[in-house]
Amino acid sequence: MTPALTDTTLLALLRDMPKAELHVHIEGTLEPELIFALAERNQIELPYADVEALRRAYAFTDLQSFLDIYYAGASVLLHEQDFYDMARAYLARAVRDRVVHAEIFFDPQTHTARGVPMASVINGLYRACRDAERDWGISCALILCFLRHLSEEDAFQTLAQAMPLRDRFIGVGLDSSELGHPPEKFARVFAHCRELGLHLVAHAGEEGPAAYIWSALDTLQVERIDHGVQAQHDAALMQRLARERIALTVCPLSNQKLQVFPDLSQHNLPRMLEAGLRVTVNSDDPAYFGGYINDNFEQLFAVTGMGPAQAYRLARNSLQASFVGESRKHAWREQLDDCFVRHGFQDAIDTSEGAPILP
Ligand code: ADE
Ligand code: ZN
């Protein structure tokens, strides 16, 4: 049990600062209550008696033990409206955490393999994004993830199914079981996506070795690394990440729940930030890992002793690493600075981009 953050001025700052969420799986935002409501609506039998029994099953030992339950939970999603309702619930929650921009992962193969049409998935999510922008002013975009435990051929077919809706997603990613499924398995499909002008990201170095991060950068040519915490074992990689200002979308509570680190207090995020890496804080699968983005910030700051300077750096990194144009980033940076001034933390404002300049 992580102790609460007792510094109330820091707590208020973390909650109020504008931030971007760059690593959230929309299927990982399905709260048990919504899983049961959708199961009832779609007349699907769940192997759990009730919400509490499902929650009790959320005791994970590693990534695979989580993924098994996560894919089972997603089986209640059948119709476009289900995808809409899931994304609407997440976006309402994100607005409360002062997320000004969300780049949201979705796993179409989890659904198309069950006979759900690709259009139901993408149109439901896309409509929720547009409605949230209209209703709450949050900006959002979708990133289609390929499941790496499946074949590259399957990824190509998935891409082909999604292409009629190409204007509704901004990029592709790579997720699911990491060990044994290195990035280079997807070299051809990522090369094709690059030619199509899609943004490219990949999970690498969550449980897998630093070599997978090199491969994601050099073979897939991704623009951001999702997780990347295993980079700490490779000094040359750490230097490259800092020098090339490559963003890492780190997910502290996820890493704690999946036992990537024995305890949140031993998470390496503060050290990576100190080394000049473009680290961001994200929620991954908040319904399963015990917290949304602000919970990640609050619990991490409670146990690591980080303060306003690190809060500024992390929020600014998230805005800078997003896939939006410079004029919107500029407006959000101004909102960020205003927030720090309003909270009396103007000394923490640092526009240097944070990285020690390395050779
Ligand atoms: N899919 C959903 N969450 C994931 C994670 N943390 N790693 C890999 N694949 C995922
Ligand atoms: Zn993830």
Side-chain angles (χ1 to χ4, degrees):
M1 187 68 184
T2 309
L5 185 59
T6 50
D7 180 340
T8 52
T9 54
L10 180 58
L11 188 62
L13 177 75
L14 293 173
R15 289 181 178 172
D16 197 29
M17 64 185 188
K19 52 186 79 74
E21 168 115 88
L22 304 177
H23 184 160
V24 60
H25 302 263
I26 200 63
E27 295 88 353
T29 70
L30 260 184
E31 292 287 347
E33 290 77 7
L34 189 52
I35 291 180
F36 271 84
L38 291 174
E40 195 178 340
R41 186 157 99 187
N42 292 332
Q43 295 172 359
I44 291 170
E45 189 90 39
L46 290 170
Y48 301 95
D50 51 30
V51 164
E52 282 67 42
L54 177 56
R55 253 189 233 287
R56 275 197 299 278
Y58 293 180
F60 313 118
T61 50
D62 57 11
L63 176 58
Q64 194 59 50
S65 65
F66 154 69
L67 290 171
D68 293 342
I69 287 200
Y70 161 87
Y71 293 130
S75 70
V76 299
L77 297 158
L78 291 186
H79 307 294
E80 180 182 323
Q81 190 61 37
D82 304 336
F83 292 91
Y84 177 92
D85 291 345
M86 170 173 63
R88 178 111 179 139
Y90 162 69
L91 288 163
R93 185 69 186 71
V95 166
R96 297 215 310 270
D97 280 1
R98 275 292 278 150
V99 172
V100 293
H101 176 70
E103 293 179 3
I104 300 173
F105 296 145
F106 65 106
D107 286 342
Q109 287 151 298
T110 308
H111 315 299
T112 52
R114 297 180 288 111
V116 175
M118 179 67 84
S120 302
V121 180
I122 296 183
N123 288 335
L125 299 177
Y126 186 77
R127 188 159 54 86
C129 287
R130 296 295 79 81
D131 285 357
E133 290 186 339
R134 181 198 62 207
D135 295 341
W136 305 314
I138 186 172
S139 142
C140 29
L142 298 171
I143 296 180
L144 183 160
C145 283
F146 300 121
L147 298 181
R148 69 201 305 159
H149 68 272
L150 301 178
S151 67
E152 188 179 47
E153 180 54 34
D154 207 309
F156 267 116
Q157 283 170 14
T158 301
L159 183 66
Q161 288 168 15
M163 278 315 281
L165 301 158
R166 164 69 186 88
D167 61 324
R168 301 190 164 210
F169 56 100
I170 60 163
V172 297
L174 187 63
D175 65 1
S176 192
S177 321
E178 186 179 12
L179 286 167
H181 302 285
E184 59 269 23
K185 178 178 165 187
F186 295 89
R188 281 160 297 269
V189 74
F190 268 67
H192 185 55
C193 289
R194 195 165 63 248
E195 283 164 14
L196 292 170
L198 287 157
H199 285 291
L200 307 179
V201 299
H203 283 52
E206 178 184 14
E207 284 186 342
Y212 285 19
I213 302 176
W214 285 105
S215 174
L217 294 172
D218 291 333
T219 306
L220 303 188
Q221 298 191 31
V222 298
E223 298 158 80
R224 296 194 301 244
I225 295 287
D226 297 314
H227 293 293
V229 292
Q230 302 304 335
Q232 67 171 349
H233 302 297
D234 184 331
L237 178 59
M238 291 285 281
Q239 289 206 358
R240 176 177 180 188
L241 293 169
R243 193 172 52 241
E244 297 183 15
R245 321 212 45 69
I246 295 159
L248 303 183
T249 63
V250 177
C251 308
L253 287 178
S254 165
N255 294 154
Q256 179 187 37
K257 287 288 184 311
L258 302 188
Q259 304 190 17
V260 173
F261 296 94
D263 189 75
L264 202 56
S265 63
Q266 291 173 52
H267 200 287
N268 64 1
L269 184 144
R271 290 191 297 285
M272 297 208 296
L273 203 56
E274 189 68 24
L277 271 58
R278 185 175 266 181
V279 178
T280 64
V281 168
N282 305 271
S283 67
D284 208 7
D285 302 284
Y288 292 90
F289 299 148
Y292 286 77
I293 191 166
N294 281 1
D295 300 305
N296 275 270
F297 273 104
E298 290 169 28
Q299 293 192 36
L300 188 68
F301 276 65
V303 295
T304 58
M306 290 196 293
Q310 288 85 2
Y312 183 84
R313 176 65 34 222
L314 290 164
R316 188 175 166 108
N317 284 351
S318 74
L319 303 173
Q320 295 293 80
S322 69
F323 294 139
V324 304
E326 184 49 39
S327 70
R328 292 167 78 200
K329 285 184 188 174
H330 179 77
W332 289 330
R333 282 197 304 266
E334 286 196 340
Q335 288 179 24
L336 179 65
D337 290 1
D338 287 350
C339 173
F340 272 67
V341 170
R342 219 172 35 249
H343 283 261
F345 288 115
Q346 55 279 356
D347 291 352
I349 296 174
D350 169 11
T351 56
S352 70
E353 297 300 331
I357 302 304
L358 297 165

